[in-house]
mmCIF file of all heavy atoms in Angstrom:
data_model
loop_
_atom_site.group_PDB
_atom_site.id
_atom_site.type_symbol
_atom_site.label_atom_id
_atom_site.label_comp_id
_atom_site.label_asym_id
_atom_site.label_seq_id
_atom_site.Cartn_x
_atom_site.Cartn_y
_atom_site.Cartn_z
ATOM 1 N N GLY A 1 -6.068 0.298 -13.590
ATOM 2 C CA GLY A 1 -5.302 1.498 -13.899
ATOM 3 C C GLY A 1 -4.891 2.258 -12.652
ATOM 4 O O GLY A 1 -3.762 2.756 -12.543
ATOM 5 N N PHE A 2 -5.800 2.346 -11.673
ATOM 6 C CA PHE A 2 -5.482 3.011 -10.407
ATOM 7 C C PHE A 2 -4.363 2.268 -9.676
ATOM 8 O O PHE A 2 -3.418 2.882 -9.163
ATOM 9 C CB PHE A 2 -6.743 3.075 -9.545
ATOM 10 C CG PHE A 2 -6.512 3.586 -8.156
ATOM 11 C CD1 PHE A 2 -6.222 4.925 -7.928
ATOM 12 C CD2 PHE A 2 -6.570 2.724 -7.061
ATOM 13 C CE1 PHE A 2 -6.000 5.400 -6.637
ATOM 14 C CE2 PHE A 2 -6.362 3.185 -5.778
ATOM 15 C CZ PHE A 2 -6.069 4.527 -5.569
ATOM 16 N N LEU A 3 -4.446 0.932 -9.637
ATOM 17 C CA LEU A 3 -3.418 0.138 -8.966
ATOM 18 C C LEU A 3 -2.070 0.281 -9.664
ATOM 19 O O LEU A 3 -1.031 0.422 -9.010
ATOM 20 C CB LEU A 3 -3.835 -1.334 -8.930
ATOM 21 C CG LEU A 3 -5.094 -1.675 -8.120
ATOM 22 C CD1 LEU A 3 -5.392 -3.161 -8.205
ATOM 23 C CD2 LEU A 3 -4.948 -1.251 -6.671
ATOM 24 N N LEU A 4 -2.066 0.250 -11.006
ATOM 25 C CA LEU A 4 -0.814 0.396 -11.740
ATOM 26 C C LEU A 4 -0.210 1.786 -11.550
ATOM 27 O O LEU A 4 1.022 1.936 -11.512
ATOM 28 C CB LEU A 4 -1.041 0.121 -13.227
ATOM 29 C CG LEU A 4 -1.340 -1.332 -13.604
ATOM 30 C CD1 LEU A 4 -1.623 -1.446 -15.094
ATOM 31 C CD2 LEU A 4 -0.183 -2.241 -13.213
ATOM 32 N N PHE A 5 -1.060 2.800 -11.429
ATOM 33 C CA PHE A 5 -0.557 4.153 -11.170
ATOM 34 C C PHE A 5 0.193 4.194 -9.842
ATOM 35 O O PHE A 5 1.289 4.768 -9.747
ATOM 36 C CB PHE A 5 -1.718 5.148 -11.153
ATOM 37 C CG PHE A 5 -1.330 6.511 -10.637
ATOM 38 C CD1 PHE A 5 -0.621 7.385 -11.447
ATOM 39 C CD2 PHE A 5 -1.656 6.896 -9.349
ATOM 40 C CE1 PHE A 5 -0.245 8.640 -10.972
ATOM 41 C CE2 PHE A 5 -1.288 8.152 -8.868
ATOM 42 C CZ PHE A 5 -0.575 9.021 -9.683
ATOM 43 N N ILE A 6 -0.394 3.570 -8.803
ATOM 44 C CA ILE A 6 0.270 3.560 -7.497
ATOM 45 C C ILE A 6 1.577 2.765 -7.559
ATOM 46 O O ILE A 6 2.611 3.198 -7.048
ATOM 47 C CB ILE A 6 -0.669 2.958 -6.430
ATOM 48 C CG1 ILE A 6 -1.887 3.863 -6.233
ATOM 49 C CG2 ILE A 6 0.071 2.770 -5.109
ATOM 50 C CD1 ILE A 6 -2.903 3.316 -5.269
ATOM 51 N N ILE A 7 1.519 1.604 -8.216
ATOM 52 C CA ILE A 7 2.691 0.723 -8.241
ATOM 53 C C ILE A 7 3.834 1.313 -9.061
ATOM 54 O O ILE A 7 5.004 1.259 -8.653
ATOM 55 C CB ILE A 7 2.288 -0.660 -8.794
ATOM 56 C CG1 ILE A 7 1.347 -1.370 -7.814
ATOM 57 C CG2 ILE A 7 3.514 -1.528 -9.068
ATOM 58 C CD1 ILE A 7 0.691 -2.604 -8.385
ATOM 59 N N LEU A 8 3.519 1.908 -10.213
ATOM 60 C CA LEU A 8 4.559 2.327 -11.145
ATOM 61 C C LEU A 8 4.951 3.796 -11.023
ATOM 62 O O LEU A 8 6.088 4.155 -11.334
ATOM 63 C CB LEU A 8 4.112 2.047 -12.583
ATOM 64 C CG LEU A 8 3.820 0.579 -12.924
ATOM 65 C CD1 LEU A 8 3.296 0.457 -14.344
ATOM 66 C CD2 LEU A 8 5.063 -0.275 -12.730
ATOM 67 N N LEU A 9 4.018 4.648 -10.573
ATOM 68 C CA LEU A 9 4.283 6.087 -10.619
ATOM 69 C C LEU A 9 4.217 6.789 -9.265
ATOM 70 O O LEU A 9 5.010 7.691 -8.996
ATOM 71 C CB LEU A 9 3.287 6.762 -11.581
ATOM 72 C CG LEU A 9 3.347 6.299 -13.041
ATOM 73 C CD1 LEU A 9 2.237 6.960 -13.847
ATOM 74 C CD2 LEU A 9 4.704 6.611 -13.643
ATOM 75 N N ALA A 10 3.271 6.393 -8.432
ATOM 76 C CA ALA A 10 3.044 7.156 -7.200
ATOM 77 C C ALA A 10 4.197 7.041 -6.214
ATOM 78 O O ALA A 10 4.431 7.965 -5.423
ATOM 79 C CB ALA A 10 1.741 6.700 -6.539
ATOM 80 N N VAL A 11 4.910 5.919 -6.227
ATOM 81 C CA VAL A 11 6.040 5.724 -5.306
ATOM 82 C C VAL A 11 7.327 5.780 -6.121
ATOM 83 O O VAL A 11 7.623 4.843 -6.870
ATOM 84 C CB VAL A 11 5.931 4.380 -4.557
ATOM 85 C CG1 VAL A 11 7.085 4.228 -3.569
ATOM 86 C CG2 VAL A 11 4.599 4.273 -3.828
ATOM 87 N N PRO A 12 8.121 6.850 -6.006
ATOM 88 C CA PRO A 12 9.390 6.931 -6.755
ATOM 89 C C PRO A 12 10.338 5.813 -6.334
ATOM 90 O O PRO A 12 10.246 5.273 -5.230
ATOM 91 C CB PRO A 12 9.937 8.309 -6.371
ATOM 92 C CG PRO A 12 8.773 9.067 -5.809
ATOM 93 C CD PRO A 12 7.865 8.053 -5.199
ATOM 94 N N ALA A 13 11.267 5.484 -7.226
ATOM 95 C CA ALA A 13 12.210 4.407 -6.944
ATOM 96 C C ALA A 13 13.016 4.683 -5.679
ATOM 97 O O ALA A 13 13.277 3.771 -4.883
ATOM 98 C CB ALA A 13 13.144 4.211 -8.141
ATOM 99 N N ALA A 14 13.396 5.936 -5.476
ATOM 100 C CA ALA A 14 14.202 6.274 -4.300
ATOM 101 C C ALA A 14 13.424 6.102 -2.998
ATOM 102 O O ALA A 14 14.016 5.908 -1.934
ATOM 103 C CB ALA A 14 14.713 7.706 -4.410
ATOM 104 N N ALA A 15 12.083 6.182 -3.095
ATOM 105 C CA ALA A 15 11.260 6.078 -1.888
ATOM 106 C C ALA A 15 10.802 4.647 -1.606
ATOM 107 O O ALA A 15 10.191 4.400 -0.560
ATOM 108 C CB ALA A 15 10.034 6.984 -2.033
ATOM 109 N N LEU A 16 11.087 3.708 -2.511
ATOM 110 C CA LEU A 16 10.611 2.335 -2.334
ATOM 111 C C LEU A 16 11.121 1.683 -1.049
ATOM 112 O O LEU A 16 10.329 1.097 -0.295
ATOM 113 C CB LEU A 16 11.009 1.492 -3.545
ATOM 114 C CG LEU A 16 9.940 1.268 -4.613
ATOM 115 C CD1 LEU A 16 10.501 0.427 -5.750
ATOM 116 C CD2 LEU A 16 8.709 0.615 -4.032
ATOM 117 N N PRO A 17 12.437 1.740 -0.751
ATOM 118 C CA PRO A 17 12.896 1.104 0.494
ATOM 119 C C PRO A 17 12.209 1.665 1.729
ATOM 120 O O PRO A 17 11.848 0.910 2.636
ATOM 121 C CB PRO A 17 14.404 1.393 0.499
ATOM 122 C CG PRO A 17 14.758 1.602 -0.939
ATOM 123 C CD PRO A 17 13.561 2.275 -1.537
ATOM 124 N N GLY A 18 12.011 2.982 1.761
ATOM 125 C CA GLY A 18 11.338 3.587 2.910
ATOM 126 C C GLY A 18 9.890 3.164 3.015
ATOM 127 O O GLY A 18 9.381 2.911 4.115
ATOM 128 N N TYR A 19 9.218 3.077 1.862
ATOM 129 C CA TYR A 19 7.814 2.661 1.899
ATOM 130 C C TYR A 19 7.680 1.220 2.383
ATOM 131 O O TYR A 19 6.805 0.896 3.182
ATOM 132 C CB TYR A 19 7.164 2.807 0.526
ATOM 133 C CG TYR A 19 5.731 2.320 0.520
ATOM 134 C CD1 TYR A 19 4.709 3.153 0.948
ATOM 135 C CD2 TYR A 19 5.406 1.034 0.117
ATOM 136 C CE1 TYR A 19 3.392 2.709 0.983
ATOM 137 C CE2 TYR A 19 4.106 0.580 0.141
ATOM 138 C CZ TYR A 19 3.104 1.418 0.579
ATOM 139 O OH TYR A 19 1.813 0.963 0.624
ATOM 140 N N LEU A 20 8.553 0.330 1.887
ATOM 141 C CA LEU A 20 8.466 -1.074 2.279
ATOM 142 C C LEU A 20 8.765 -1.264 3.770
ATOM 143 O O LEU A 20 8.372 -2.282 4.346
ATOM 144 C CB LEU A 20 9.432 -1.919 1.443
ATOM 145 C CG LEU A 20 9.125 -2.012 -0.054
ATOM 146 C CD1 LEU A 20 10.150 -2.878 -0.761
ATOM 147 C CD2 LEU A 20 7.717 -2.540 -0.302
ATOM 148 N N ALA A 21 9.449 -0.319 4.383
ATOM 149 C CA ALA A 21 9.744 -0.403 5.819
ATOM 150 C C ALA A 21 8.719 0.351 6.664
ATOM 151 O O ALA A 21 8.802 0.311 7.905
ATOM 152 C CB ALA A 21 11.141 0.144 6.096
ATOM 153 N N SER A 22 7.762 1.022 6.019
ATOM 154 C CA SER A 22 6.825 1.864 6.757
ATOM 155 C C SER A 22 5.805 1.028 7.526
ATOM 156 O O SER A 22 5.461 -0.090 7.128
ATOM 157 C CB SER A 22 6.081 2.794 5.791
ATOM 158 O OG SER A 22 5.226 2.035 4.942
ATOM 159 N N PRO A 23 5.297 1.545 8.644
ATOM 160 C CA PRO A 23 4.261 0.822 9.397
ATOM 161 C C PRO A 23 3.014 0.548 8.568
ATOM 162 O O PRO A 23 2.385 -0.504 8.728
ATOM 163 C CB PRO A 23 3.962 1.766 10.575
ATOM 164 C CG PRO A 23 5.199 2.588 10.733
ATOM 165 C CD PRO A 23 5.737 2.768 9.348
ATOM 166 N N TYR A 24 2.639 1.468 7.687
ATOM 167 C CA TYR A 24 1.438 1.259 6.869
ATOM 168 C C TYR A 24 1.598 0.022 5.996
ATOM 169 O O TYR A 24 0.681 -0.797 5.894
ATOM 170 C CB TYR A 24 1.172 2.490 6.000
ATOM 171 C CG TYR A 24 -0.096 2.370 5.188
ATOM 172 C CD1 TYR A 24 -1.322 2.782 5.702
ATOM 173 C CD2 TYR A 24 -0.074 1.827 3.897
ATOM 174 C CE1 TYR A 24 -2.486 2.660 4.967
ATOM 175 C CE2 TYR A 24 -1.237 1.706 3.156
ATOM 176 C CZ TYR A 24 -2.431 2.119 3.695
ATOM 177 O OH TYR A 24 -3.586 1.979 2.968
ATOM 178 N N HIS A 25 2.758 -0.107 5.366
ATOM 179 C CA HIS A 25 2.993 -1.284 4.518
ATOM 180 C C HIS A 25 3.045 -2.558 5.348
ATOM 181 O O HIS A 25 2.507 -3.593 4.940
ATOM 182 C CB HIS A 25 4.293 -1.112 3.728
ATOM 183 C CG HIS A 25 4.674 -2.312 2.927
ATOM 184 N ND1 HIS A 25 4.017 -2.679 1.774
ATOM 185 C CD2 HIS A 25 5.628 -3.263 3.141
ATOM 186 C CE1 HIS A 25 4.556 -3.789 1.298
ATOM 187 N NE2 HIS A 25 5.528 -4.166 2.105
ATOM 188 N N GLN A 26 3.677 -2.512 6.495
ATOM 189 C CA GLN A 26 3.772 -3.698 7.339
ATOM 190 C C GLN A 26 2.392 -4.206 7.760
ATOM 191 O O GLN A 26 2.194 -5.409 7.923
ATOM 192 C CB GLN A 26 4.607 -3.391 8.583
ATOM 193 C CG GLN A 26 6.067 -3.092 8.297
ATOM 194 C CD GLN A 26 6.851 -2.819 9.565
ATOM 195 O OE1 GLN A 26 6.680 -3.505 10.575
ATOM 196 N NE2 GLN A 26 7.715 -1.812 9.524
ATOM 197 N N ALA A 27 1.449 -3.285 7.917
ATOM 198 C CA ALA A 27 0.098 -3.650 8.360
ATOM 199 C C ALA A 27 -0.885 -3.738 7.199
ATOM 200 O O ALA A 27 -2.103 -3.726 7.421
ATOM 201 C CB ALA A 27 -0.400 -2.628 9.376
ATOM 202 N N ALA A 28 -0.392 -3.861 5.964
ATOM 203 C CA ALA A 28 -1.276 -3.811 4.799
ATOM 204 C C ALA A 28 -2.341 -4.893 4.827
ATOM 205 O O ALA A 28 -3.496 -4.653 4.451
ATOM 206 C CB ALA A 28 -0.446 -3.927 3.509
ATOM 207 N N ASP A 29 -1.992 -6.103 5.265
ATOM 208 C CA ASP A 29 -2.987 -7.183 5.304
ATOM 209 C C ASP A 29 -4.076 -6.897 6.323
ATOM 210 O O ASP A 29 -5.263 -7.136 6.072
ATOM 211 C CB ASP A 29 -2.306 -8.518 5.605
ATOM 212 C CG ASP A 29 -1.511 -8.492 6.894
ATOM 213 O OD1 ASP A 29 -0.711 -7.555 7.084
ATOM 214 O OD2 ASP A 29 -1.689 -9.404 7.721
ATOM 215 N N MET A 30 -3.704 -6.355 7.477
ATOM 216 C CA MET A 30 -4.703 -6.035 8.498
ATOM 217 C C MET A 30 -5.546 -4.838 8.083
ATOM 218 O O MET A 30 -6.742 -4.772 8.393
ATOM 219 C CB MET A 30 -4.015 -5.796 9.838
ATOM 220 C CG MET A 30 -3.325 -7.040 10.392
ATOM 221 S SD MET A 30 -2.608 -6.830 12.039
ATOM 222 C CE MET A 30 -1.180 -5.798 11.664
ATOM 223 N N LYS A 31 -4.944 -3.880 7.371
ATOM 224 C CA LYS A 31 -5.717 -2.748 6.858
ATOM 225 C C LYS A 31 -6.751 -3.219 5.837
ATOM 226 O O LYS A 31 -7.895 -2.746 5.837
ATOM 227 C CB LYS A 31 -4.777 -1.720 6.219
ATOM 228 C CG LYS A 31 -3.892 -0.965 7.181
ATOM 229 C CD LYS A 31 -4.657 0.035 8.016
ATOM 230 C CE LYS A 31 -5.092 1.240 7.197
ATOM 231 N NZ LYS A 31 -5.723 2.284 8.047
ATOM 232 N N MET A 32 -6.354 -4.159 4.986
ATOM 233 C CA MET A 32 -7.291 -4.699 3.998
ATOM 234 C C MET A 32 -8.450 -5.409 4.683
ATOM 235 O O MET A 32 -9.617 -5.241 4.319
ATOM 236 C CB MET A 32 -6.560 -5.647 3.054
ATOM 237 C CG MET A 32 -7.462 -6.347 2.046
ATOM 238 S SD MET A 32 -8.170 -5.237 0.812
ATOM 239 C CE MET A 32 -6.747 -5.015 -0.263
ATOM 240 N N GLY A 33 -8.147 -6.211 5.699
ATOM 241 C CA GLY A 33 -9.202 -6.900 6.428
ATOM 242 C C GLY A 33 -10.129 -5.938 7.143
ATOM 243 O O GLY A 33 -11.352 -6.109 7.132
ATOM 244 N N ALA A 34 -9.550 -4.900 7.755
ATOM 245 C CA ALA A 34 -10.375 -3.930 8.478
ATOM 246 C C ALA A 34 -11.285 -3.162 7.535
ATOM 247 O O ALA A 34 -12.386 -2.744 7.928
ATOM 248 C CB ALA A 34 -9.467 -2.959 9.233
ATOM 249 N N PHE A 35 -10.856 -2.964 6.282
ATOM 250 C CA PHE A 35 -11.673 -2.229 5.316
ATOM 251 C C PHE A 35 -13.011 -2.921 5.090
ATOM 252 O O PHE A 35 -14.051 -2.259 4.944
ATOM 253 C CB PHE A 35 -10.911 -2.104 3.991
ATOM 254 C CG PHE A 35 -11.665 -1.341 2.931
ATOM 255 C CD1 PHE A 35 -11.663 0.036 2.931
ATOM 256 C CD2 PHE A 35 -12.365 -2.004 1.938
ATOM 257 C CE1 PHE A 35 -12.352 0.746 1.948
ATOM 258 C CE2 PHE A 35 -13.051 -1.309 0.956
ATOM 259 C CZ PHE A 35 -13.037 0.068 0.963
ATOM 260 N N PHE A 36 -13.013 -4.249 5.093
ATOM 261 C CA PHE A 36 -14.239 -4.991 4.811
ATOM 262 C C PHE A 36 -14.969 -5.465 6.074
ATOM 263 O O PHE A 36 -16.187 -5.641 6.050
ATOM 264 C CB PHE A 36 -13.931 -6.205 3.927
ATOM 265 C CG PHE A 36 -13.607 -5.832 2.507
ATOM 266 C CD1 PHE A 36 -12.304 -5.854 2.042
ATOM 267 C CD2 PHE A 36 -14.608 -5.436 1.637
ATOM 268 C CE1 PHE A 36 -12.007 -5.512 0.733
ATOM 269 C CE2 PHE A 36 -14.325 -5.088 0.324
ATOM 270 C CZ PHE A 36 -13.018 -5.123 -0.119
ATOM 271 N N PHE A 37 -14.228 -5.670 7.163
ATOM 272 C CA PHE A 37 -14.874 -6.230 8.348
ATOM 273 C C PHE A 37 -15.236 -5.171 9.390
ATOM 274 O O PHE A 37 -16.111 -5.395 10.219
ATOM 275 C CB PHE A 37 -13.984 -7.312 8.965
ATOM 276 C CG PHE A 37 -13.880 -8.538 8.108
ATOM 277 C CD1 PHE A 37 -12.753 -8.762 7.332
ATOM 278 C CD2 PHE A 37 -14.912 -9.463 8.052
ATOM 279 C CE1 PHE A 37 -12.657 -9.887 6.520
ATOM 280 C CE2 PHE A 37 -14.830 -10.584 7.248
ATOM 281 C CZ PHE A 37 -13.696 -10.796 6.487
ATOM 282 N N ASN A 38 -14.557 -4.030 9.368
ATOM 283 C CA ASN A 38 -14.974 -2.892 10.194
ATOM 284 C C ASN A 38 -15.583 -1.857 9.248
ATOM 285 O O ASN A 38 -14.945 -0.878 8.869
ATOM 286 C CB ASN A 38 -13.782 -2.300 10.956
ATOM 287 C CG ASN A 38 -13.210 -3.283 11.954
ATOM 288 O OD1 ASN A 38 -13.915 -4.170 12.437
ATOM 289 N ND2 ASN A 38 -11.934 -3.140 12.270
#
């Protein structure tokens, strides 16, 4: 439910292109790895 809230509601449609180009999104795989390994 938390994931679906972020995917469907937290990011408005108009903000999707900007989010997909953001540094945070670009580094999402490394952020996920750092969450468990650091």
Side-chain angles (χ1 to χ4, degrees):
F2 173 71
L3 296 179
L4 290 177
F5 169 77
I6 295 176
I7 293 169
L8 300 176
L9 299 175
V11 182
L16 261 179
Y19 177 83
L20 294 180
S22 67
Y24 183 89
H25 175 73
Q26 294 181 42
D29 56 310
M30 295 185 287
K31 290 288 288 186
M32 176 68 77
F35 181 81
F36 288 104
F37 291 102
N38 296 334

